[in-house]
Amino acid sequence: QVRLVESGGGLVQTGGSLRLSCAVSGRTFSMYVMGWFRQAPGKDREFVGAISWSGDSALYADSVKDRFTISRDNAKNTVYLQMNSLKPEDTAVYYCAADRTTRTLRAERLEYDYWGQGTQVTVSS
């Protein structure tokens, strides 16, 4: 069974930074494409970004490009989301997800097989 546990959320002021972590159990972490999604109250869950199994390529939503960076440490079975220049509209529950099916970076949440429980990020104005 694969288990994903996010951490690092919290309250931050506009312009601040946070780094989220997602620890993944299981021996095949290095084979998964990992994604980050977020869901604000009353809105659908939306794609934030994804990183390849090797960590050498990433895909970002336009809304976070140049502000957020995804990285991974396969030795630690952990993926990270570094969030800089945060805005109030970044307020949401952030989820990490694992795609065990393909090596393609995908933005569609239905393509991901495993999900964490989420961590709250609140950006105050």
Side-chain angles (χ1 to χ4, degrees):
Q1 184 70 12
V2 177
R3 185 166 177 249
L4 287 67
V5 179
E6 302 95 335
S7 61
L11 174 64
V12 64
Q13 291 185 335
T14 296
S17 298
L18 279 175
R19 188 175 83 153
L20 306 184
S21 299
C22 174
V24 182
S25 65
R27 294 174 294 177
T28 55
F29 170 75
S30 61
M31 299 174 64
Y32 300 152
V33 166
M34 296 299 299
W36 284 96
F37 291 76
R38 67 186 182 186
Q39 187 166 18
K43 295 188 177 181
D44 291 335
R45 191 170 300 188
E46 66 173 4
F47 174 75
V48 173
I51 189 167
S52 64
W53 64 274
S54 63
D56 62 358
S57 60
L59 174 70
Y60 297 96
D62 288 343
S63 58
V64 306
K65 200 172 295 183
D66 299 326
R67 298 189 298 123
F68 291 11
T69 302
I70 299 175
S71 60
R72 66 190 295 162
D73 185 337
N74 286 343
K76 295 182 178 180
N77 278 20
T78 302
V79 62
Y80 305 97
L81 179 65
Q82 177 66 45
M83 305 185 293
N84 299 328
S85 302
L86 282 161
K87 306 174 182 179
E89 51 263 45
D90 294 318
T91 295
V93 177
Y94 283 71
Y95 300 88
C96 68
D99 176 359
R100 64 183 175 93
T101 307
T102 75
R103 298 291 181 94
T104 304
L105 302 183
R106 299 186 285 189
E108 175 54 55
R109 63 183 178 91
L110 293 179
E111 302 289 354
Y112 289 79
D113 304 290
Y114 305 110
W115 291 84
Q117 82 291 346
T119 186
Q120 176 71 45
V121 172
T122 302
V123 185
S124 63
S125 57

